[in-house]
Amino acid sequence: MRNAREDESSTWGRSGRQRRRLHPGWELRLYGKGIRQARRHNVEWFELGALAAALGSVVTAHVALLWGFLFGASRQPLLMSLLIPPLAPYFGWRAQRHAAARVWVAGLLVYLLLGVLRGHYFR
């Protein structure tokens, strides 16, 4: 006979197929319809992580560009990039900060692409 702790962590069906609990109240069977639900669940977490990484890269690149503008020759790019954020990569490119400008644009493109593909924008 099993104890209660074994039943909570994992159970074995009569045919020997393993079932796992992903979180309380939602049980996954590694066969049939349950595996599709698990894949969809994993894809959603992957997309959420990719969106967070893309947004984080845009914010980090923007801060790096602003930091560079702060110690640059002119304060005008700093002020314009604070007021109108999409101008930051343009001024960064002109100030020879190509890497940060590329990361900013690439992160924004990934963020928008994932948002459009998931249907968060332009429904």
Side-chain angles (χ1 to χ4, degrees):
M1 202 154 66
R2 294 176 155 170
N3 60 20
R5 178 174 248 182
E6 286 181 23
D7 288 336
E8 287 179 10
S9 62
S10 67
T11 60
W12 293 87
R14 291 182 188 161
S15 62
R17 293 186 175 135
Q18 184 182 7
R19 294 182 294 177
R20 245 185 311 159
R21 289 188 186 274
L22 292 179
H23 54 81
W26 196 78
E27 191 172 71
L28 165 69
R29 291 186 176 146
L30 295 178
Y31 57 94
K33 188 176 179 182
I35 195 71
R36 286 192 294 271
Q37 290 174 349
R39 285 184 185 146
R40 191 175 326 125
H41 183 72
N42 289 339
V43 168
E44 289 173 359
W45 280 106
F46 174 75
E47 290 172 352
L48 180 65
L51 278 170
L55 184 62
S57 68
V58 170
V59 170
T60 302
H62 194 80
V63 169
L65 287 169
L66 292 177
W67 187 260
F69 297 150
L70 181 65
F71 296 108
S74 173
R75 299 284 190 259
Q76 181 185 6
L78 174 67
L79 182 62
M80 293 299 290
S81 296
L82 280 173
L83 296 176
I84 308 168
L87 289 178
Y90 171 73
F91 286 122
W93 193 268
R94 288 184 60 194
Q96 303 299 319
R97 292 177 176 84
H98 300 295
R102 285 181 182 141
V103 169
W104 197 101
V105 171
L108 184 67
L109 289 176
V110 168
Y111 185 80
L112 290 176
L113 182 66
L114 284 173
V116 168
L117 289 178
R118 285 295 294 159
H120 295 297
Y121 309 114
F122 310 115
R123 285 190 177 188

